[in-house]
Amino acid sequence: MKKLKSIYLALILFFLYAPIVVLVVFSFNASRSRGVWAGFTLDWYRALFRDTRIMRALYNTLLVGVLSALISTVIGTMAAIGINNMGRKSRRLIMNITNIPVFNPDVVIGVSLMLLYVTIFSIFRRGELGFITLLIAHISFSIPYIILSVLPKLRRLNKSLFEAAIDLGAKPAYAFFKVILPEISPGILTGMILAFTMSIDDFLVSFFTTGPESDTLSVVVFSMARRGVNPSINALSTLMLLVVLILLFIINLRDKKRLTE
Amino acid sequence: MKSKLLSFPYILCMIFLVIIPLLLIGYYSIIDFDGNLTLNNFSQVFEPMFLRIIWRSIRLAVISTAICFVIGYPIAYILASRDFVKKSFLLFLFIVPMWMNFLLRTYAWLTILENNGIVNTIFRALGFDGFQLLYTEGAVVLGMVYNYLPFMVLPIYTVLTKMDNSLLEASADLGANRRKTFTKVVFPLSIPGVASGVTMVFMPSVTTFVISNLLGGADFLLIGNLIEQQFFRANNWYFGAALAVVMIVIILVCNTFVTLFDKNDDNEREAKRKHEKA
């Protein structure tokens, strides 16, 4: 029975990993046609780094990811503190609205924001889709994730700590940075990482809200993949996978360290 | 008191970037090119051609969800059982692919399924004719199952690991064999996990755009592709908006379904807490 279970799990893992392995292996394949192995090459990686469109898209992706994560972290953390101090009714109302972007399909988010932008452009008779519209879109779908990771930390916070700091003569702002912020910072960090990942991973919302000059990596990959297989994408995927694995490794190490402490 | 004001920027953001855009979709869905009120966009949705596409989206999503359930439940069950020592590592292995970009994971299948791809090369080497794998319904379903299988496994796994072991012991003590314990105790208790797994697979499947576009080809339309087409190619935003409303309705229905199960869960928890207090 146990053997059967092992075989089953192995099959599923094969199913999950086979495409990824193929992707990685064929990024080193000298032949452009994917069926056959024609020797090892690094040509596709060279082509990748020489492709200005991909390099610019990489830059856009990282810039939007970092900026939207930072901005949404500030707005989201402030919002979480505010929501935490609200009455039951208004808190419930706001949390229901917060859940909308989480459940809303990406297509609907993309279309709705595009309609908003175009409406605004037509009212002011100026403006076009580009980096700013992309950034605003990413901020709008990231904030809820910040709130959802900070709010539980705030809930568990001991309220008398803040009061004690005030009683001991701290100004509210000082008390916030010295007492509350250190307590909720793990939640803020989780939210920020989540927001960054969501932004980097997003395709559809970017697809609808960005202009031709500010494509993100996924938009470029999509338009390339639409035309069929391209070994440069394989090379790109391999590099991205490597980054993800290193990130996961670091996070795991940190967790282990915390556990042993 | 003052700290409530801190959420003001967020509330503004939500009003301008979530609520107003959604209202705009609603507005666009009930006007025509000249800006007059009309219900024509919605009656167009019910034309056979478009109805067929919506029906196909729902059908493929249901098939994918069913396959994910059939494959995923045993995975969750095996992972939750104590048969394997390195359980957390195994679970980790299931989650790693989810960290890879969704688009690239879907793209990976192109290499495998295309006409000169690996599967066909192997078939040809064995002396068979190659056959069309890419740009079929099967390829789309495969893409959905591949991408969303972890969404089915994780919630079920969570429910199963949280299950009280003494319930299983009680069932065995009362004379039930393993199969009966499973059908009468384990499975019914895992239904909340199944329900959230089902929604978490069904919702992205029914709204997908990428999977159907890459693996189904440019002419293979699901409702997500139809919406994109109205905005970028047909330039009929009003009909596109009406289709988006239809999609929202499908999602809302699906959501109500899962909260129904969650409510039951909450009620049970409430009852349990009261019981403990007493």
Side-chain angles (χ1 to χ4, degrees):
Chain A
M1 195 61 195
K2 192 183 166 185
K3 209 170 182 181
L4 211 69
K5 286 179 182 173
S6 310
I7 293 172
Y8 185 70
L9 284 188
L11 273 177
I12 299 292
L13 285 175
F14 176 77
F15 170 66
L16 287 179
Y17 281 91
I20 298 175
V21 171
V22 168
L23 207 67
V24 172
V25 168
F26 279 83
S27 74
F28 299 108
N29 188 7
S31 155
R32 215 190 149 82
S33 99
R34 270 70 42 188
V36 281
W37 177 256
F40 180 88
T41 180
L42 286 175
D43 284 355
W44 306 120
Y45 289 88
R46 277 190 212 108
L48 182 70
F49 286 111
R50 249 183 268 130
D51 192 325
T52 48
R53 191 174 172 216
I54 290 183
M55 285 299 119
R56 203 186 51 201
L58 176 68
Y59 172 77
N60 284 336
T61 306
L62 292 177
L63 193 63
V64 166
V66 170
L67 285 180
S68 70
L70 288 177
I71 296 172
S72 54
T73 301
V74 173
I75 300 178
T77 307
M78 281 164 60
I81 294 166
I83 293 169
N84 194 41
N85 288 309
M86 278 175 185
R88 223 185 133 95
K89 258 187 191 161
S90 35
R91 182 163 64 206
R92 179 171 274 179
L93 176 72
I94 295 215
M95 286 318 285
N96 277 338
I97 296 170
T98 301
N99 276 326
I100 294 177
V102 179
F103 282 106
N104 221 354
D106 285 355
V107 188
V108 175
I109 297 181
V111 165
S112 67
L113 284 170
M114 185 179 148
L115 286 178
L116 173 80
Y117 292 145
V118 172
T119 310
I120 290 174
F121 296 159
S122 71
I123 291 173
F124 292 100
R125 291 174 191 284
R126 56 188 287 187
E128 57 182 4
L129 294 176
F131 189 80
I132 297 294
T133 50
L134 179 72
L135 181 62
I136 292 173
H138 280 228
I139 293 170
S140 83
F141 71 67
S142 299
I143 304 176
Y145 293 94
I146 309 276
I147 295 180
L148 292 175
S149 27
V150 175
L151 209 52
K153 297 274 174 211
L154 279 170
R155 286 255 169 123
R156 244 178 282 144
L157 199 70
N158 189 345
K159 271 201 176 144
S160 16
L161 283 177
F162 183 72
E163 283 157 17
I166 301 282
D167 287 348
L168 290 171
K171 292 216 164 63
Y174 185 81
F176 170 77
F177 284 109
K178 286 285 171 187
V179 178
I180 294 185
L181 199 60
E183 288 287 316
I184 60 171
S185 60
I188 296 177
L189 196 67
T190 313
M192 189 148 59
I193 294 174
L194 205 58
F196 182 70
T197 337
M198 298 289 296
S199 164
I200 299 248
D201 221 36
D202 171 71
F203 160 67
L204 262 182
V205 177
S206 312
F207 187 61
F208 277 98
T209 55
T210 193
E213 289 302 306
S214 39
D215 283 348
T216 62
L217 215 45
S218 44
V219 174
V220 172
V221 167
F222 178 74
S223 65
M224 282 164 83
R226 222 175 194 177
R227 276 178 261 127
V229 178
N230 180 331
S232 281
I233 307 183
N234 290 26
L236 184 65
S237 321
T238 306
L239 292 178
M240 286 169 84
L241 186 66
L242 202 68
V243 172
V244 164
L245 287 181
I246 293 171
L247 270 178
L248 276 179
F249 187 70
I250 294 171
I251 293 172
N252 250 13
L253 270 188
R254 222 185 60 174
D255 284 355
K256 278 226 178 84
K257 219 166 139 195
R258 200 181 292 153
L259 273 182
T260 45
E261 272 168 14
Chain B
M1 203 58 219
K2 224 166 55 184
S3 69
K4 268 186 215 168
L5 286 177
L6 283 173
S7 53
F8 190 62
Y10 170 65
I11 293 171
L12 273 185
C13 271
M14 285 292 115
I15 290 173
F16 280 101
L17 298 173
V18 175
I19 295 173
I20 290 182
L22 281 178
L23 292 176
L24 272 175
I25 288 189
Y27 173 66
Y28 269 81
S29 72
I30 50 164
I31 59 170
D32 61 13
F33 281 92
D34 302 320
N36 303 318
L37 284 182
T38 175
L39 281 175
N40 279 347
N41 300 318
F42 283 102
S43 58
Q44 206 180 339
V45 170
F46 290 99
E47 280 172 20
M49 189 177 105
F50 299 120
L51 217 49
R52 212 177 301 139
I53 292 171
I54 295 171
W55 170 238
R56 179 200 271 160
S57 312
I58 295 174
R59 183 169 53 93
L60 293 190
V62 168
I63 293 173
S64 308
T65 310
I67 295 176
C68 280
F69 171 69
V70 171
I71 300 177
Y73 199 99
I75 300 174
Y77 188 77
I78 294 171
L79 286 177
S81 71
R82 304 213 167 137
D83 288 359
F84 294 93
V85 191
K86 298 208 160 184
K87 201 164 75 172
S88 59
F89 179 68
L90 271 173
L91 191 70
F92 177 71
L93 279 182
F94 273 91
I95 298 171
V96 170
M98 280 170 78
W99 278 71
M100 202 170 150
N101 188 294
F102 167 77
L103 205 61
L104 295 176
R105 264 182 294 155
T106 311
Y107 163 80
W109 281 100
L110 281 179
T111 314
I112 297 176
L113 298 178
E114 66 172 351
N115 282 339
N116 296 317
I118 291 172
V119 176
N120 270 328
T121 309
I122 292 172
F123 271 117
R124 286 204 194 94
L126 293 172
F128 296 104
D129 286 335
F131 42 122
Q132 182 71 33
L133 296 165
L134 204 54
Y135 309 134
T136 59
E137 275 195 0
V140 175
V141 171
L142 179 77
M144 289 175 180
V145 172
Y146 181 73
N147 277 305
Y148 305 132
L149 182 63
F151 293 159
M152 181 67 83
V153 175
L154 291 177
I156 299 177
Y157 171 81
T158 315
V159 171
L160 287 177
T161 44
K162 276 188 197 150
M163 201 171 286
D164 191 349
N165 245 359
S166 48
L167 287 173
L168 308 186
E169 283 158 20
S171 165
D173 286 349
L174 292 168
N177 57 16
R178 288 186 63 173
R179 170 187 264 175
K180 198 155 193 186
T181 302
F182 179 78
T183 52
K184 293 280 178 192
V185 181
V186 178
F187 187 71
L189 283 174
S190 68
I191 282 183
V194 174
S196 66
V198 164
T199 11
M200 280 169 75
V201 174
F202 182 81
M203 291 213 279
S205 299
V206 83
T207 62
T208 189
F209 164 76
V210 173
I211 297 174
S212 38
N213 199 294
L214 289 184
L215 300 178
D219 299 325
F220 188 93
L221 296 183
L222 296 184
I223 180 166
N225 309 83
L226 196 57
I227 293 176
E228 184 260 353
Q229 208 181 48
Q230 296 310 313
F231 278 91
F232 286 128
R233 275 175 283 173
N235 257 323
N236 188 347
W237 293 19
Y238 312 97
F239 181 47
L243 287 166
V245 171
V246 171
M247 189 185 259
I248 294 171
V249 170
I250 295 175
I251 294 302
L252 284 179
V253 169
C254 196
N255 244 332
T256 334
F257 168 77
V258 82
T259 43
L260 255 163
F261 280 97
D262 263 3
K263 278 241 175 67
N264 286 339
D265 199 33
D266 281 350
N267 288 343
E268 265 165 38
R269 230 177 282 145
E270 198 85 25
K272 206 173 158 194
R273 203 179 311 136
K274 272 179 193 153
H275 184 76
E276 271 163 14
K277 262 186 196 161

